[in-house]
Amino acid sequence: MQVVSGIQPTGTPHLGNYLGAIVNYVKLQDEEEKAGRKCLIFLADLHAISMPHKPAELHSATLEMVATLVACGVDPSKTVLFNQAQVPAHAEMQWLLTGTARMGWLNRMTQWKDKAGKNREGASAALFGYPVLQAADVLLYQATHVPVGDDQKQHLELARDIAQKFNNDFASEDAPVFTLPEPYIPPMAARIMSLRDGSKKMSKSEPSEMSRINLNDDADTMAQKIRKARTDPEPLPSELEGLEGRPEALNLVTIFAALSGSTPEAVLAEHGNQMFGHFKPVLAELLVEKLGPLRDRFVELKEDREALTAILARGASQARELSAPTLDSAYKALGLVRGR
Ligand code: TYM
């Protein structure tokens, strides 16, 4: 088993990132440590340049994301924590894989379609090639398990397709260059939805701050966002079937269940028949109880830029070493003699 995953250092991380991915980084880190292995978690700063961004802010945002991850429980002594920009193998491997990825595959990516919108001609080539870099990120380390939310599933299927085609085209059956990675998606919190619209996922790029709980929101802000979250006038049902066609209600129940380590069924067994005026304050309290300590730790950690820089330097040096054998094999398989 080899666990690898990444998160973009743009925008403020939110409850969706936390429940969909970060909780599993920590869970797998602790399980893997017992087996004597290390997970790799990186800040996808190279991916961040695929959209308009402010260069002066990118490095600070990267350091803040390190502080967030550490505050959430990612432990740099157990996990290799680094940023892509310090490990050139990511960009190199992306180029090697660009020869294998097909235009048609990339054209079908929903993220490309969503982010480029109607302006495909004006979108960056980096946005189009984004999933190839993501494939490089995981294939470089022979990843088997990639903890992500549901929205990244398609990118991982593409990584598998690229790995498979590369192995078929350039490697012998008994000595494949790449391992085929599997997404590791939480059963419940795979897709946390916007608090304003239950049909859209909670996202950093959504203009309304009220649509998401940020991990650095203070207690009052969290409570206010939950109070104002869109719901319907019906009370909560006592069975799961009663949430059909009620995406906002389902989302709040899912958040409650994920945060309390319970299940939606159990939450409904306890809170069924309650009106939202009753349920929302209990949910807000739970959020503050679970996320408040993370926020406090984040606020403290983010001040020590030297310590955060040192974490990334150490992680990058480990990642450079770990990525070297696969990068070498890929060059060799393609008939290239790698420079040193
Ligand atoms: P990013 O930075 O958008 O999100 C980081 C992680 O959070 C998950 N996530 C969610 N999960 C549940 N509900 C939501 N509303 C929600 N929003 C986000 C994402 O699925 C992700 O796991 N392309 C990636 C970064 C990346 C990567 C990789 C991930 C680059 N290379 C290699 C895995 C492996 C991204 O933009 O995630």
Side-chain angles (χ1 to χ4, degrees):
M1 184 159 170
Q2 177 62 64
V3 178
V4 182
S5 196
I7 183 164
Q8 287 203 64
T10 39
T12 310
H14 53 69
L15 187 63
N17 299 130
Y18 180 67
L19 294 175
I22 300 173
V23 165
N24 275 340
Y25 301 167
V26 179
K27 171 176 167 261
L28 290 169
Q29 155 191 286
D30 295 340
E31 286 172 12
E32 286 297 279
E33 196 209 10
K34 289 197 192 104
R37 289 185 294 255
K38 280 190 171 190
C39 301
L40 289 106
I41 302 292
F42 60 87
L43 294 314
D45 50 0
L46 292 181
H47 277 112
I49 65 164
S50 62
M51 292 293 276
H53 77 291
K54 297 199 176 85
E57 289 170 15
L58 185 52
H59 189 61
S60 284
T62 303
L63 291 182
E64 285 203 1
M65 191 61 92
V66 177
T68 303
L69 293 178
V70 175
C72 290
V74 174
D75 177 344
S77 70
K78 297 183 190 166
T79 288
V80 180
L81 183 55
F82 65 102
N83 60 317
Q84 286 167 323
Q86 289 198 59
V87 185
H90 288 248
E92 275 183 82
M93 183 62 97
Q94 180 193 15
W95 181 249
L96 301 187
L97 297 178
T98 301
T100 296
R102 305 288 95 183
M103 294 288 283
W105 299 354
L106 296 177
N107 249 325
R108 281 195 285 280
M109 294 292 112
T110 51
Q111 177 183 283
W112 158 248
K113 291 192 233 172
D114 289 348
K115 290 204 173 163
K118 291 203 176 75
N119 184 24
R120 288 201 184 184
E121 295 292 310
S124 73
L127 187 63
F128 190 67
Y130 181 115
V132 188
L133 178 57
Q134 184 156 344
D137 293 336
V138 294
L139 299 182
L140 262 177
Y141 304 100
Q142 308 288 343
T144 56
H145 295 71
V146 184
V148 284
D150 188 62
D151 61 336
Q152 296 301 317
K153 206 166 146 196
Q154 195 188 31
H155 283 160
L156 284 180
E157 279 160 11
L158 183 90
R160 288 175 67 88
D161 289 344
I162 292 176
Q164 182 97 64
K165 181 165 167 55
F166 190 103
N167 286 342
N168 285 347
D169 292 355
F170 304 114
S172 63
E173 223 165 279
D174 50 342
V177 173
F178 298 122
T179 303
L180 270 46
E182 292 274 1
Y184 185 91
I185 297 177
M188 221 175 2
R191 187 175 280 263
I192 299 296
M193 308 311 276
S194 155
L195 299 178
R196 306 301 300 165
D197 178 350
S199 67
K200 284 191 188 158
K201 69 168 185 176
M202 187 176 282
S203 158
K204 293 176 202 155
S205 50
E206 175 66 35
S208 167
E209 280 289 326
M210 297 304 282
S211 69
R212 60 184 164 264
I213 304 283
N214 292 322
L215 295 187
N216 61 4
D217 282 343
D218 60 28
D220 287 347
T221 310
M222 280 186 201
Q224 190 202 22
K225 287 179 176 176
I226 293 295
R227 206 166 44 242
K228 298 227 163 129
R230 187 167 148 192
T231 41
D232 53 46
E234 302 298 317
L236 279 176
S238 44
E239 311 269 327
L240 206 50
E241 297 77 62
L243 288 176
E244 253 169 59
R246 300 176 64 188
E248 285 88 8
L250 173 64
N251 193 37
L252 295 187
V253 169
T254 303
I255 291 172
F256 195 107
L259 280 172
S260 57
S262 159
T263 61
E265 287 86 348
V267 173
L268 291 178
E270 194 182 337
H271 298 276
N273 302 321
Q274 278 178 9
M275 298 304 285
F276 282 102
H278 200 96
F279 181 68
K280 280 177 167 179
V282 189
L283 173 58
E285 209 172 296
L286 178 65
L287 263 172
V288 171
E289 179 197 321
K290 297 288 177 185
L291 300 186
L294 307 186
R295 180 179 176 273
D296 295 346
R297 235 174 298 155
F298 163 74
V299 170
E300 202 180 302
L301 288 166
K302 87 176 161 75
E303 294 311 319
D304 195 348
R305 290 171 68 98
E306 220 169 286
L308 300 172
T309 304
I311 290 174
L312 287 182
R314 201 158 62 97
S317 130
Q318 293 171 324
R320 282 194 291 268
E321 208 166 295
L322 291 168
S323 59
T326 304
L327 187 62
D328 272 341
S329 310
Y331 268 99
K332 212 178 278 165
L334 291 167
L336 295 163
V337 179
R338 189 181 169 205
R340 295 277 160 193

